[in-house]
């Protein structure tokens, strides 16, 4: 666990507006256990931990015994953290996901703070995409979810996917899920669906901005999305995600199936988005690139977070080197 | 020449009604990829509810208000059917919707004789003193012109809804990929419900337009439902414009057929329906996506 009292990255320097989410108060009766009344503020371990410690349990103001300041609306905050600066936009706590009897995630906990890029790396079947789909609320047959997910102060683990999207979360799924019969432009406009009525003129300008960022999409704006190449569809999926003007972007294996030159281009785009202030959670099998761009990163193995730290710390971690970097 | 123009007049007015029913079927199909086999029964119930209210011996309700109430009942039935098919929509490949819609059609058809007699009933026209259109002699009646104009205005409205509105975009997205649509912030549940509501309302209006041209009968739902389905398939079931064209084509084909068959054998002219279905089968064989439709490719 990284020390939450330390600055996390040079990129994470913008002070967070304490009034950013004025109406988002967590419930008075938390379902997760909270800290005991006189418990001293626990200090997170400085280095990677094999599994999340109990102190990861989110503190909920108003709950009996919570020993942090109760004036500022906290969610998923950590003890000893200045709530006006250290507010995670996303908190995942003790997340367990089952597909029938099969357990895909086994108590995953992590935070993502505003303006960060957080990477999750891991092998096939580790549970990376399950984590992403569970956060964004994608419906899946036979799936059941335990644990808590908090986004911008609201608990979303039982919320419908479209409601989560309306809160400002955009998910670029692993399989792109562009609308194949619709044109590139229609796909982009669908990305802006939740703002369609109120911001019609602004959306038009944003479509043009997207075309500036992805010129290949401008050339194919009237072509059916299903006729685009894999790389073009990936760009369209990212562009469509951006059209919703999200606060938080989930990117699931964005490099999957792309030519090496496109992979580099795609990671440059991710970096640019973060520089513009977007918060990004990315899962990737291309560990080197994913760790290089990450402020913080987690290693997920068989549904458990086994290692965590800054991107640089994980690049240098011998276990990560051996398992994922080919050292 | 006069016969030809009369055939066109009858075909257009009848075809406009088929087009509306077909449009209702297409609305639901484009959003959910399912067919509502109870469409005709919704039409019949709307017609008979409005007829009962308007011709009530105790207190007659004015026709426009009776229409509104009829539309309300139709929409209620549409929502009921939507609730019935909803569980099957989440799982692609499920055919439970067939059971739900056919079951609802059967139930309505079974219950209807307890409320309304089985014989033909005259439906009130909005033009009680219909003397035709001045200058056109007896070619077009006011009722026919009203039916054609109203149907075309509704068709334009649906076309606008599809292509220009937020709901239309949502309908397209949900039809292609419900999960991807949800990621865009689109509620598939609400979108599908709107499709059923609009479809039921359109079908009810089609009933109000066709009933004064023919008679009201509790069997009319089956007949119009089947013909609406044929019209939708003829034009292309995933295409709103195709459904309109299919309806008009079917109306004119049906109106012209007795004239043509009469030349071959007067007996044949009495049974035009098999020829309508022959046309339907021919289209299915040679152009299964319909004349204006596109072959549907399922996403994932």
């Amino acid at each position: 666990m990284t020390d939450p009292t330390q600055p996390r990255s040079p990129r994470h320097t913008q002070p967070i507006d304490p009034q950013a989410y004025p109406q988002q108060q967590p419930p008075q009766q938390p379902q997760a256990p909270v800290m005991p009344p006189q418990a001293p503020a626990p200090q997170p371990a400085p280095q990677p931990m094999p599994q999340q410690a109990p102190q990861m349990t989110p503190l909920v103001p108003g709950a009996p015994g919570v020993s942090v300041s109760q004036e500022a609306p906290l969610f998923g905050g950590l003890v000893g953290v200045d709530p006006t600066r250290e507010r995670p936009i996303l908190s995942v706590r003790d997340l367990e996901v089952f597909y029938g009897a099969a357990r895909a995630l086994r108590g995953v906990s992590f935070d993502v703070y505003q303006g960060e890029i957080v990477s999750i790396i891991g092998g096939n079947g580790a549970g990376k995409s399950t984590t992403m789909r569970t956060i964004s609320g994608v419906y899946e047959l036979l799936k059941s979810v335990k644990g808590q997910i908090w986004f911008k102060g609201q608990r979303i683990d039982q919320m419908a996917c479209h409601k989560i999207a309306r809160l400002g979360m955009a998910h670029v799924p692993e399989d792109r899920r562009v609308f194949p019969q619709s044109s590139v432009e229609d796909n982009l406009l669908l990305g802006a669906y939740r703002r369609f009525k109120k911001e019609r003129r602004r959306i038009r300008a944003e479509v043009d901005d997207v075309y500036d960022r992805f010129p290949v999409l401008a050339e194919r704006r009237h072509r059916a999305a299903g006729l685009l190449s894999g790389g073009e569809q990936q760009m369209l999926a990212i562009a469509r995600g951006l059209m919703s003007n999200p606060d938080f972007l989930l990117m699931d294996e964005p490099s999957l199936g792309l030519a090496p030159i496109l992979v580099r281009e795609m990671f440059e785009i991710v970096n640019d988005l973060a520089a513009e202030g977007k918060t990004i959670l990315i899962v990737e099998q291309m560990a080197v690139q994913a760790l290089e761009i990450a402020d913080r990163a987690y290693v997920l193995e068989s549904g458990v977070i086994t290692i965590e730290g800054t991107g640089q710390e994980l690049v240098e971690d011998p276990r990560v080197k051996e398992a994922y970097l080919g050292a | 020449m006069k016969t030809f123009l009369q055939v066109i007049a009858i075909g257009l007015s009848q075809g406009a009604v088929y087009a509306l029913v077909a449009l209702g079927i297409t609305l639901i199909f484009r959003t959910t990829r399912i067919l509502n086999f109870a469409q005709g029964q919704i039409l019949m119930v709307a017609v008979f509810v409005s007829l009962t209210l308007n011709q009530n011996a105790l207190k007659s309700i004015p026709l426009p208000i009776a229409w509104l109430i009829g539309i309300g009942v139709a929409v209620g039935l549409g929502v009921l059917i939507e609730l019935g098919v909803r569980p099957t929509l989440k799982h692609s490949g499920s055919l439970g919707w067939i059971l739900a819609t056919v079951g609802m059609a059967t139930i309505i058809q079974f219950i209807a004789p307890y409320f309304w007699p089985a014989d033909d009933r005259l439906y009130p026209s909005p033009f009680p003193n219909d003397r035709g259109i001045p200058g056109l002699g007896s070619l077009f009646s006011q009722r026919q012109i009203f039916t054609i104009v109203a149907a075309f205005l509704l068709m334009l409205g649906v076309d606008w809804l599809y292509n220009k509105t937020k709901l239309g975009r949502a309908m397209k997205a949900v039809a292609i990929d419900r999960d991807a649509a949800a990621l865009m912030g689109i509620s598939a549940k609400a979108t599908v419900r709107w499709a059923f509501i609009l479809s039921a309302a359109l079908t009810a209006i089609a009933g109000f337009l066709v009933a004064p041209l023919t008679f009201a009968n509790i069997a009319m739902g089956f007949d119009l439902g089947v013909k609406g389905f044929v019209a939708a398939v003829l034009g292309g079931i995933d295409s709103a414009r195709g459904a309109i064209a299919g309806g008009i084509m079917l109306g004119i084909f049906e109106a012209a057929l007795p004239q043509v068959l009469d030349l071959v054998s007067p007996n044949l002219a009495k049974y035009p329906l098999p020829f309508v279905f022959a046309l339907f089968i021919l289209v299915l064989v040679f152009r299964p996506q319909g004349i204006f439709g596109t072959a549907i490719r399922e996403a994932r």
Side-chain angles (χ1 to χ4, degrees):
Chain A
M1 171 74 60
T2 48
D3 182 352
T5 60
Q6 296 301 312
R8 281 179 302 283
S9 87
R11 189 185 291 126
H12 188 73
T13 51
Q14 290 178 340
I16 296 166
D17 178 6
Q19 302 303 317
Y21 318 118
Q23 295 166 353
Q24 289 141 2
Q25 296 284 350
Q28 292 299 305
Q29 296 299 324
Q31 294 184 8
V34 295
M35 301 302 296
Q38 274 79 40
Q43 293 303 312
Q47 274 304 308
M49 294 168 63
Q51 180 52 286
Q52 303 302 327
Q55 63 264 36
M56 290 295 287
T57 305
L59 290 170
V60 180
V66 174
S67 58
V68 294
S69 162
Q70 306 206 353
E71 290 170 3
L74 264 179
F75 49 91
L78 303 175
V79 177
V81 173
D82 174 2
T84 61
R85 287 191 60 83
E86 304 294 337
R87 185 196 309 272
I89 190 166
L90 178 83
S91 276
V92 176
R93 288 292 172 272
D94 304 321
L95 189 64
E96 293 186 33
V97 174
F98 299 83
Y99 292 100
R103 199 168 165 201
L105 294 182
R106 301 158 183 263
V108 168
S109 298
F110 63 88
D111 291 311
V112 180
Y113 292 84
Q114 196 161 330
E116 281 190 313
I117 298 181
V118 172
S119 293
I120 300 178
I121 61 169
N124 277 332
K128 305 187 300 295
S129 294
T130 298
T131 307
M132 299 298 252
R133 287 197 298 266
T134 307
I135 291 170
S136 66
V138 174
Y139 172 81
E140 290 175 280
L141 202 61
L142 298 176
K143 179 174 164 183
S144 59
V145 177
K146 279 185 185 173
Q148 296 187 0
I149 305 172
W150 295 79
F151 178 61
K152 290 162 84 175
Q154 290 194 47
R155 193 168 166 185
I156 60 166
D157 45 87
Q158 300 298 328
M159 201 180 267
C161 180
H162 69 275
K163 288 184 181 167
I164 296 173
R166 289 175 189 177
L167 290 176
M169 185 188 289
H171 181 177
V172 181
E174 182 183 13
D175 44 6
R176 292 149 194 165
R177 302 295 277 264
V178 295
F179 297 101
Q181 289 108 321
S182 299
S183 68
V184 166
E185 187 142 317
D186 279 348
N187 268 272
L188 293 175
L189 291 173
L190 277 167
Y193 175 80
R194 69 190 173 96
R195 309 187 289 130
F196 193 68
K197 259 185 189 164
K198 291 179 185 166
E199 303 174 40
R200 195 170 287 219
R201 281 187 187 167
R202 199 171 142 193
I203 288 168
R204 190 62 255 173
E206 285 177 17
V207 169
D208 292 336
D209 289 346
V210 162
Y211 286 149
D212 289 342
R213 192 192 288 274
F214 303 97
V216 69
L217 296 183
E219 290 166 21
R220 307 205 185 338
R221 65 177 72 189
H222 300 302
R223 186 175 289 187
L227 300 177
L228 300 181
S229 71
E232 289 164 353
Q233 285 192 15
Q234 188 63 58
M235 287 180 196
L236 177 57
I238 296 170
R240 189 182 62 178
L242 293 176
M243 281 301 298
S244 65
N245 195 17
D247 301 317
F248 187 67
L249 196 58
L250 294 169
M251 302 181 85
D252 193 352
E253 305 269 10
S255 71
L256 195 70
L258 296 188
I261 189 164
L262 288 177
V263 171
R264 199 175 61 196
E265 197 178 317
M266 198 278 306
F267 277 105
E268 280 171 12
I269 289 169
V270 174
N271 235 339
D272 290 346
L273 292 174
E276 290 166 17
K278 300 282 182 209
T279 309
I280 298 171
L281 176 63
I282 183 168
V283 304
E284 256 301 332
Q285 288 202 42
M286 293 214 162
V288 179
Q289 290 91 334
L291 294 178
E292 277 175 356
I293 62 166
D295 295 306
R296 292 185 303 113
Y298 297 87
V299 176
L300 190 63
E301 291 176 324
S302 303
V304 178
I305 287 181
T306 51
I307 309 171
E308 63 181 283
T310 64
Q312 194 55 40
E313 282 169 355
L314 261 67
V315 167
E316 290 161 6
D317 189 295
R319 292 168 296 173
V320 174
K321 275 184 180 172
E322 188 186 339
Y324 300 102
L325 306 182
Chain B
M1 183 62 187
K2 194 178 177 187
T3 309
F4 173 74
L5 288 176
Q6 276 175 336
V7 163
I8 296 293
I10 294 168
L12 271 180
S13 54
Q14 201 73 13
V17 172
Y18 297 156
L20 275 186
V21 179
L23 214 48
I25 291 170
T26 301
L27 255 174
I28 293 176
F29 184 81
R30 278 188 60 153
T31 313
T32 61
R33 295 285 181 257
I34 70 167
L35 294 166
N36 180 12
F37 289 113
Q39 205 78 10
Q41 280 66 28
I42 291 177
L43 179 148
M44 180 269 290
V45 170
V47 165
F48 272 88
V49 166
S50 60
L51 184 65
T52 308
L53 291 170
N54 182 250
Q55 298 189 345
N56 192 333
L58 295 173
K59 184 172 170 57
S60 174
I61 292 174
L63 197 56
I65 296 173
W67 280 350
L68 285 178
I69 296 171
I71 289 172
V73 172
V75 165
L77 281 176
V79 170
L80 209 61
I81 294 168
E82 186 265 322
L83 287 172
V85 300
R86 186 186 289 173
T88 73
L89 294 177
K90 277 191 172 178
H91 314 304
S92 60
S94 167
L95 296 178
W97 58 267
I98 298 178
L99 202 65
T101 59
V102 172
M104 184 57 102
T106 311
I107 291 169
I108 295 171
Q109 205 60 58
F110 182 77
I111 291 175
Y114 291 95
F115 290 95
W116 302 294
D119 53 342
D120 287 345
R121 293 179 69 183
L122 198 63
Y123 192 86
S125 165
F127 304 97
N129 304 312
D130 193 350
R131 293 194 203 94
I133 303 296
L136 290 175
S138 57
L139 204 57
F140 276 98
S141 67
Q142 289 175 341
R143 277 178 290 186
Q144 281 175 323
I145 293 289
F146 175 71
T147 301
I148 293 167
V149 171
F152 275 94
L153 286 177
L154 283 167
M155 291 170 206
L156 287 176
V158 171
D159 199 54
W160 173 81
L161 174 101
Y162 263 145
N163 297 308
K164 300 288 178 198
T165 66
K166 193 176 173 184
L167 179 62
R169 286 181 192 281
M171 284 175 167
K172 280 184 198 168
V174 168
I176 296 171
D177 189 339
R178 286 171 72 92
D179 293 337
L183 289 175
M184 306 297 109
I186 297 169
S187 165
K189 203 191 283 182
T191 307
V192 168
R193 175 157 295 177
W194 270 111
F196 271 86
I197 287 172
L198 291 173
S199 168
L202 268 183
T203 307
I205 294 170
F208 304 148
L209 293 176
V210 74
L213 299 176
T214 56
F215 286 101
N217 185 299
I218 54 170
M220 71 189 294
F222 177 77
D223 187 47
L224 283 165
V226 168
K227 284 177 183 167
F229 179 62
V230 170
V233 173
L234 268 180
I237 201 156
D238 65 327
S239 158
R241 290 174 190 178
I244 295 165
I248 302 296
M249 279 192 299
L250 181 63
I252 291 176
F253 179 77
E254 207 182 39
L257 197 63
Q259 308 296 331
V260 176
L261 290 176
D262 198 37
L263 298 175
V264 182
S265 160
N267 282 336
L268 271 181
K270 292 176 190 168
Y271 307 104
L273 207 55
F275 293 92
V276 170
F277 285 112
L279 172 73
F280 175 61
I281 291 166
L282 278 177
V283 170
L284 280 182
V285 169
F286 291 106
R287 198 168 162 81
Q289 70 269 37
I291 293 165
F292 297 98
T294 50
I296 293 168
R297 291 183 300 274
E298 290 294 338
R300 290 165 52 81

